[in-house]
Amino acid sequence: MDLKSALTGNSAGAILSSCESGEDSALAAYDQAEADISTGQVFTLLQKQRQQITAFRTRLERLVGEIKDGVEFRKNE
């Protein structure tokens, strides 16, 4: 992602797009892991981590929406 942001001039939209892609890949991996492991402590941990990724994905979607609406990207997010 560092290389991509350097090549895109640190465009907020490009960086967030890269983050979205990474989160989508992570969610797909968690879906597969949960399908393979259906009980126990590992499954519980997978569910908790998946919820955290989903919450972050929701935040990313909000930021992307703000950029599309012309809101200036806040550096502290």
Side-chain angles (χ1 to χ4, degrees), residues 27-66:
L27 286 173
Y30 274 86
D31 287 342
Q32 183 61 47
E34 287 178 356
D36 294 341
I37 303 169
S38 59
T39 61
Q41 290 179 336
V42 172
F43 181 75
T44 302
L45 180 61
L46 286 172
Q47 286 183 316
K48 181 178 179 181
Q49 290 175 341
R50 189 181 199 294
Q51 289 171 350
Q52 291 171 338
I53 291 170
T54 301
F56 183 70
R57 183 69 165 90
T58 300
R59 188 172 183 196
L60 275 174
E61 289 171 359
R62 179 185 56 82
L63 290 171
V64 169
E66 287 179 2

Side-chain angles (χ1 to χ4, degrees), residues 1-22 60 63-64 67-68 73:
M1 198 159 98
D2 290 333
L3 176 60
K4 185 172 183 174
S5 65
L7 294 175
T8 61
N10 290 320
S11 160
I15 293 169
L16 289 176
S17 177
S18 181
C19 289
E20 282 182 308
S21 176
L60 275 174
L63 290 171
V64 169
I67 287 173
K68 287 180 182 176
F73 186 67

